[in-house]
Amino acid sequence: MIEATLCFVVRDGCVLLIEKRRGLGEGLYNGPGGKLEDGETPRACAIRETREEVGIEVSEPEKAGTLEFVLDGSLHTKCHVFRTDSFDGEPTMTAEARPEWFAIDDVPYDRMWEDDRYWLPGVLEGKTVAGQFRFAGGEPLDEAEFVDYDLEWSVSFPGTHR
């Protein structure tokens, strides 16, 4: 099982997304993020991955969600979702990601993971969520078929800035 993070930076009615340039989800838009390193907390991972992928330093990311991705009946990835409006620096392109600001009303869901359209609008509105998304068809996950999902809104995350 992979443990990973996503960090959505929101400012002035816009959200910073990245177009993945390599790896899982290549060519799709998402928030900056990636896999936790040994001993790393999800919050520290979200901060590090955002710095590495787009060159900005986020501060005070709030836990906004926990998402589980199940592939062929087995837990494939657990993803911790964070949201922040506080950062320093200017987003820049890296080998991993091309950053782009989108108006929240114009998020390109047709160029994102199929599940994003179900949970991301609520997160961008300030809600919290726990979700499970089921896929079938084997590896890699980004080529598997999206089957169904369950969501729970207004979830509290103890020990976070919420």
Side-chain angles (χ1 to χ4, degrees):
M1 192 254 318
I2 298 166
E3 194 167 9
T5 62
L6 288 170
C7 187
F8 292 93
V9 179
V10 179
R11 181 174 280 176
D12 300 327
C14 294
V15 60
L16 180 65
L17 299 177
I18 61 167
E19 181 182 29
K20 287 278 292 181
R21 298 183 69 203
R22 64 181 183 201
L24 186 66
E26 180 179 347
L28 298 176
Y29 282 96
N30 211 334
K35 297 177 189 173
L36 271 72
E37 295 179 349
D38 287 343
E40 189 175 42
T41 66
R43 177 171 281 103
C45 177
I47 292 168
R48 175 184 56 78
E49 286 283 352
T50 302
R51 179 186 329 108
E52 290 175 1
E53 290 187 347
V54 295
I56 62 174
E57 197 68 40
V58 297
S59 54
E60 302 301 319
E62 293 183 343
K63 181 91 178 249
T66 300
L67 309 174
E68 293 181 341
F69 298 92
V70 175
L71 179 60
D72 297 327
S74 297
L75 182 60
H76 180 279
T77 303
K78 180 177 181 178
C79 184
H80 305 271
V81 179
F82 293 87
R83 177 185 53 237
T84 188
D85 62 1
S86 179
F87 70 94
D88 289 318
E90 191 62 35
T92 55
M93 187 165 72
T94 63
E96 180 87 18
R98 185 180 65 81
E100 189 173 342
W101 289 100
F102 287 92
I104 289 175
D105 293 338
D106 294 326
V107 170
Y109 291 106
D110 61 328
R111 295 198 53 208
M112 299 176 77
W113 287 83
E114 193 170 344
D115 61 271
D116 290 350
R117 69 187 72 236
Y118 299 106
W119 61 268
L120 184 55
V123 165
L124 295 177
E125 291 172 9
K127 297 177 183 175
T128 57
V129 66
Q132 186 179 82
F133 301 90
R134 291 173 286 285
F135 292 81
E139 296 278 0
L141 183 63
D142 54 355
E143 293 179 14
E145 180 184 349
F146 179 63
V147 177
D148 66 358
Y149 68 98
D150 294 303
L151 292 177
E152 180 183 352
W153 293 100
S154 301
V155 177
S156 62
F157 298 104
T160 65
H161 292 131
R162 279 287 304 153

